[in-house]
Amino acid sequence: MIIYKEVLEKLKEAGFSTTRLRNEKIIPEGTIQNIRQGKMINLKTVNTICNLLKCQPGDILEHIPDESDILE
């Protein structure tokens, strides 16, 4: 399972409120909702967030294995 490490909070601290993200078409509303709900987002969005925050994916994402993720 992939979890987000306070992505929206970090973006807000960097000056990118959800309103700004939507209005400037940086990240679509549906994707913002997916982040809030812990759903998957695409790598293009991860790349955008990392560019905005000047960080690496590991700074905003964490992988926590669960039984359904283990391949036999």
Side-chain angles (χ1 to χ4, degrees):
M1 168 185 349
I2 300 291
I3 61 167
Y4 304 104
K5 298 179 182 176
E6 302 175 352
V7 173
L8 296 177
E9 293 85 354
K10 290 177 182 180
L11 285 165
K12 187 174 183 178
E13 289 171 6
F16 297 97
S17 67
T18 55
T19 302
R20 180 177 178 193
L21 293 171
R22 279 191 311 268
N23 290 345
E24 295 181 20
K25 297 183 169 88
I26 299 169
I27 298 175
E29 174 62 31
T31 302
I32 293 169
Q33 288 300 325
N34 285 346
I35 294 169
R36 282 188 182 124
Q37 296 170 4
K39 295 181 179 178
M40 293 289 180
I41 58 174
N42 64 43
L43 287 176
K44 181 178 178 185
T45 302
V46 172
N47 184 59
T48 298
I49 293 168
C50 287
N51 285 331
L52 294 173
L53 296 176
K54 297 176 178 67
C55 70
Q56 293 294 313
D59 297 331
I60 59 169
L61 303 172
E62 183 177 351
H63 177 257
I64 300 176
D66 65 25
E67 292 180 20
S68 66
D69 292 335
I70 299 172
L71 301 176
E72 294 183 40

